Amino acid sequence: MSRIYIFTGKGGVGKSSVAAAHAVKSAAEGKKTLLVSTDMAHNLGDIFERKLGKEAENMLPDLDVYEIDPEYVMENDFSDIMKYLGNLLSETGNYDLQDMGMMPGMEELFSLLKIADIYRSERYERIIVDCAPTGETLALLKFPELLSWYMEKLFPIGKVGVRILAPISKLAFKVEMPNKNAMNDIEKMYLKLIELQELLKDRDITSIRIVTTPEKMVVEETKRSYMYLNLYNFNVDGLYINRILPEDIDNDFFNQWIMIQREYITCLKESFSALPIYEIPWYDEELRGVENIRRIVDDVLSEKEVFANKIITERESFKQIETGYQLEVFLPCADKSSIELYQAAADIVIKAGNFKRNIPLPNILRKYEAAGAKFEEGKLRILFEKGSDHND
């Protein structure tokens, strides 16, 4: 089975170099590998010192590199999806299809659809994704779920049988869905989004890895990002601490920075103790060219387990308890005071900081109400009990 590794982090922490190092190592192992950038400020061409075009280009034996141009992808690869979206928008009001790229999230959506398309083609054993800075990555990853949620609320999605798709979602990538010819365009688009979010959240397929540096602002954003990624149920299975100064510098100015870095490295190790942590040194020259990228491979990624499938946290889960039911959501590094919770019709809504997620409740809980919640040891546990109107 192919695997997808998504690298993200605050802007300027060196995630492109770390992603590139993984791609070089993967290709050296004889695995057919694609290194792909979804960042609009592409720099893979700069790292490999080569101008890249609109399609994937071979860089090394078993390594192709690809900088996605969403507008080109929209026009050349997904004309059918453009048609679906055009019909969807015509249901909600007048909208010029030529302005599709101006809609918030459309560029991110088509980048993800292209990666999913490449995954399904089975051309590569490993797909390594260099993502945009953290905030944009979070917007990218949550967009399919958010859009599909709105579509379910706005349109009658009857023929697809959405609620029964979950048990066979993995098969949806391999087999033709029944009655597909009878589906309307909106239902086809909805199914595409369901398939996409299942791909991104399949812990046997997709891993999210965070690159950071030992600096106060970066550390705080890294902790928030980890919490948000878990809120949306993604499998984060690695932390990379980049640009660590060597301890043997005999200079008063650098000695002070070494002490500061040591403090934040300790903080990161305590906050991310559940994850494999990789420490990358500060190099004395810019990491451009394959030979310089191989320095990271030799110094940090030499262990064989770097591509192992690591499932760090379980998905959100509902379970029956003595007084009713309990929903458990993993929210590491969350501030209890920043968590808001409320029930809206058939959804439970969790807001943490600037991010909000609507979690659909299973049918069995439609007669239940949120009766309380506890946040402890990084887990939010929401209790459901039968409402006063449902004592039958």
Side-chain angles (χ1 to χ4, degrees):
M1 183 193 299
S2 300
R3 293 278 281 115
I4 299 173
Y5 303 86
I6 297 176
F7 286 83
T8 187
K10 185 176 171 63
V13 298
K15 58 186 172 48
S16 298
S17 299
V18 176
H22 282 75
V24 168
K25 176 178 171 61
S26 177
E29 293 178 354
K31 301 291 186 180
K32 186 64 176 174
T33 303
L34 176 69
L35 173 61
V36 54
S37 170
T38 64
D39 191 343
M40 293 303 98
H42 297 301
N43 63 356
L44 294 183
D46 295 333
I47 288 175
F48 287 95
E49 299 179 313
R50 179 166 155 184
K51 185 173 178 59
L52 299 175
K54 301 285 190 182
E55 302 287 350
E57 297 187 19
N58 182 252
M59 195 65 59
L60 293 170
D62 289 318
L63 176 60
D64 293 347
V65 178
Y66 179 30
E67 293 181 337
I68 292 180
D69 180 340
E71 290 190 12
Y72 178 82
V73 166
M74 287 163 65
E75 295 170 3
N76 291 272
D77 296 311
F78 293 110
S79 58
D80 57 337
I81 303 296
M82 291 286 285
K83 180 173 177 287
Y84 302 165
L85 283 170
N87 287 339
L88 185 157
L89 291 167
S90 69
E91 294 284 338
T92 58
N94 294 324
Y95 199 89
D96 186 354
L97 197 59
Q98 298 299 318
D99 292 331
M100 187 77 75
M102 301 299 291
M103 289 180 62
M106 282 299 110
E107 291 185 343
E108 290 89 345
L109 175 62
F110 280 92
S111 294
L112 288 177
L113 286 169
K114 182 61 178 178
I115 291 170
D117 193 43
I118 293 169
Y119 172 82
R120 285 191 295 270
S121 74
E122 299 183 345
R123 295 198 302 270
Y124 298 98
E125 294 172 87
R126 291 173 182 157
I127 300 171
I128 296 171
V129 185
D130 172 29
C131 269
T134 312
E136 296 171 54
T137 298
L138 288 164
L140 180 149
L141 292 173
K142 75 176 185 177
F143 190 76
E145 178 176 319
L146 186 63
L147 183 55
S148 61
W149 183 84
Y150 277 110
M151 287 180 69
E152 185 177 353
K153 302 301 179 187
L154 291 172
F155 302 102
I157 313 288
K159 297 171 189 170
V160 182
V162 174
R163 293 295 181 187
I164 65 170
L165 277 179
I168 59 168
S169 58
K170 291 181 183 178
L171 297 177
F173 289 94
K174 301 293 183 183
V175 301
E176 191 80 0
M177 291 297 296
N179 299 322
K180 200 162 188 176
N181 292 333
M183 294 178 192
N184 63 40
D185 291 324
I186 293 171
E187 289 169 332
K188 290 176 183 177
M189 185 65 216
Y190 185 91
L191 182 57
K192 281 281 185 185
L193 292 169
I194 293 293
E195 290 177 351
L196 180 56
Q197 62 176 290
E198 285 298 322
L199 174 65
L200 294 172
K201 294 186 180 186
D202 190 327
R203 282 155 159 70
D204 291 325
I205 297 173
T206 303
S207 295
I208 313 288
R209 298 185 172 185
I210 303 175
V211 182
T212 187
T213 55
E215 305 167 49
K216 181 176 176 57
M217 289 183 64
V218 182
V219 168
E220 292 305 313
E221 179 167 325
T222 300
K223 290 161 69 175
R224 285 194 298 271
S225 300
Y226 184 44
M227 184 266 290
Y228 293 146
L229 286 164
N230 278 278
L231 172 63
Y232 279 90
N233 233 337
F234 296 106
N235 182 39
V236 181
D237 72 351
L239 180 75
Y240 297 77
I241 308 175
N242 197 15
R243 298 180 184 150
I244 299 176
L245 291 166
E247 294 277 345
D248 56 0
I249 297 179
D250 187 16
N251 179 289
D252 289 341
F253 174 79
F254 282 106
N255 287 342
Q256 181 70 19
W257 275 107
I258 290 169
M259 290 179 62
I260 293 171
Q261 283 200 343
R262 195 181 299 152
E263 175 186 346
Y264 289 119
I265 291 170
T266 299
C267 176
L268 285 165
K269 288 182 175 179
E270 290 174 350
S271 298
F272 295 87
S273 58
L275 301 183
I277 297 176
Y278 302 87
E279 299 181 38
I280 304 171
W282 185 299
Y283 291 102
D284 54 5
E285 58 184 315
E286 189 177 6
L287 294 177
R288 297 184 65 173
V290 174
E291 291 309 311
N292 278 331
I293 290 297
R294 284 199 177 107
R295 295 178 69 180
I296 298 179
V297 177
D298 295 338
D299 294 343
V300 184
L301 307 180
S302 56
E303 63 167 277
K304 294 182 179 179
E305 296 299 310
V306 70
F307 292 109
N309 181 17
K310 306 180 186 77
I311 298 177
I312 305 300
T313 59
E314 295 299 322
R315 285 186 157 209
E316 63 202 26
S317 61
F318 289 93
K319 66 179 181 180
Q320 190 167 12
I321 58 176
E322 186 176 343
T323 57
Y325 288 85
Q326 176 180 281
L327 166 62
E328 185 173 277
V329 182
F330 187 50
L331 292 177
C333 304
D335 178 1
K336 181 178 179 180
S337 63
S338 71
I339 299 174
E340 298 179 31
L341 176 70
Y342 58 92
Q343 190 168 349
D347 296 342
I348 194 77
V349 183
I350 301 173
K351 185 176 181 183
N354 296 324
F355 285 83
K356 181 179 73 172
R357 184 180 177 209
N358 294 64
I359 300 177
L361 298 176
N363 287 333
I364 197 171
L365 290 187
R366 298 299 169 87
K367 296 181 179 180
Y368 287 72
E369 296 176 356
K374 293 181 180 179
F375 180 70
E376 51 191 9
E377 298 178 348
K379 292 182 179 180
L380 177 63
R381 296 182 176 93
I382 305 166
L383 306 177
F384 294 88
E385 297 178 357
K386 269 198 174 181
S388 56
D389 296 333
H390 304 290
N391 293 322
D392 53 323

